[in-house]
Amino acid sequence: MSEGDELGQAPKGYKYKRTQTSALYQVSTMELCRSLVMRNISAEDLQDVRRIFRMKVYALVSISGDPFIPAGKWNSTTVDYEGGTDPTWKTQFSFTLHDPSLHRNLQRLNFQFYCERSLGDKIVGEFSIPVKSLFDKVGNRDVSSSGCYPVTNSSGGEQGAVKFTFEFGQPLARVVTPPRSQLPPRPQVHVQPTVDVQLNLNISGDCLQQGYTAACDDDNELACDDCCDEEDDYDDFC
């Protein structure tokens, strides 16, 4: 094992060169999309997870099942410090939805409600609904609608409700980029080791007289007088 192999490095004297470069990595695509805008978000009669003080509640909102929205990406409202179990938020959310996935009923709208605490936020409840059920309520019209839906508390039962206004836009062709987790692997760049060889040669006068570009080393078993007389054509050494 040569020097450097134990550490997973190139042996001494090795250099690395790239034998190819990857072409432009094209990840964007043209897809039919439409917008979903949500506003006037509020909740009422949520489970009270604090015994003494008033709850300070915020909501996390996400879209799941969309191929161009990263999984686990949540959008947060501000914290309502006054509403307690009936919080209200002025935060507005806008999502760009993949229209074919919408019509195939693959997307869901998700809410999670949390109580802000100094020792760690505590979940209050959650709600999830297929996005297509909201779309079917308004159809392909540029109109807004509102809904009121039950919230599941941290124990698994229904307690409270969430209200919001929503509006869908018209489908438009847009250039979108898939999340990094869904991208195909990048073209691999192969690395080929090359060796810089440095030879310390002791060139004898006899070899130079016969026009050899390199001579036998004194440590070689064959002496110049013996090897240079051979019929074989040596390109580099005597």
Side-chain angles (χ1 to χ4, degrees), residues 46-66:
L46 295 178
Q47 179 185 14
D48 194 344
V49 296
R50 304 199 73 172
R51 297 181 179 179
I52 302 177
F53 301 104
R54 177 182 297 175
M55 288 202 304
K56 298 172 287 186
V57 183
Y58 64 92
L60 299 180
V61 184
S62 73
I63 297 289
S64 58
D66 191 294

Side-chain angles (χ1 to χ4, degrees), residues 28-215:
S28 299
T29 180
M30 185 73 72
E31 297 286 344
L32 198 62
C33 302
R34 72 170 71 227
S35 63
L36 168 61
V37 178
M38 300 177 55
R39 57 178 69 92
N40 302 327
I41 305 172
S42 64
E44 61 183 22
D45 194 28
L46 295 178
Q47 179 185 14
D48 194 344
V49 296
R50 304 199 73 172
R51 297 181 179 179
I52 302 177
F53 301 104
R54 177 182 297 175
M55 288 202 304
K56 298 172 287 186
V57 183
Y58 64 92
L60 299 180
V61 184
S62 73
I63 297 289
S64 58
D66 191 294
F68 297 100
I69 298 179
K73 180 181 179 180
W74 292 86
N75 301 272
S76 178
T77 67
T78 56
V79 179
D80 186 339
Y81 293 97
E82 302 297 332
T85 59
D86 302 309
T88 301
W89 302 280
K90 296 181 180 180
T91 310
Q92 175 177 301
F93 296 115
S94 180
F95 300 96
T96 298
L97 305 179
H98 185 229
D99 199 55
S101 299
L102 169 63
H103 291 286
R104 291 198 294 265
N105 198 22
L106 300 178
Q107 303 157 336
R108 295 189 69 88
L109 172 66
N110 310 294
F111 279 83
Q112 286 187 351
F113 303 96
Y114 283 88
C115 174
E116 184 182 67
R117 303 190 309 171
S118 58
L119 297 179
D121 298 352
K122 187 172 183 179
I123 190 167
V124 177
E126 58 187 5
F127 159 74
S128 181
I129 188 174
V131 178
K132 191 174 185 302
S133 65
L134 301 178
F135 180 76
D136 292 340
K137 193 173 181 179
V138 296
N140 203 28
R141 298 172 296 160
D142 290 329
V143 296
S144 61
S145 182
S146 60
C148 180
Y149 304 95
V151 173
T152 303
N153 61 27
S154 58
S155 303
E158 288 188 3
Q159 180 171 347
V162 58
K163 300 178 181 179
F164 55 89
T165 301
F166 61 93
E167 180 180 348
F168 288 90
Q170 291 297 314
L172 296 172
R174 298 187 58 177
V175 177
V176 291
T177 303
R180 186 176 298 274
S181 60
Q182 298 183 18
L183 292 178
R186 289 180 177 270
Q188 294 185 359
V189 177
H190 300 288
V191 179
Q192 175 181 342
T194 60
V195 183
D196 290 342
V197 181
Q198 296 181 356
L199 298 177
N200 296 321
L201 300 176
N202 183 11
I203 303 177
S204 65
D206 294 339
C207 291
L208 292 177
Q209 291 177 1
Q210 297 193 28
Y212 290 94
T213 58

Side-chain angles (χ1 to χ4, degrees), residues 193-235:
T194 60
V195 183
D196 290 342
V197 181
Q198 296 181 356
L199 298 177
N200 296 321
L201 300 176
N202 183 11
I203 303 177
S204 65
D206 294 339
C207 291
L208 292 177
Q209 291 177 1
Q210 297 193 28
Y212 290 94
T213 58
C216 296
D217 194 341
D218 286 343
D219 296 334
N220 198 309
E221 294 181 357
L222 295 176
C224 286
D225 292 340
D226 297 331
C227 66
C228 292
D229 293 335
E230 296 290 337
E231 295 180 357
D232 296 336
D233 184 15
Y234 293 90
D235 294 331

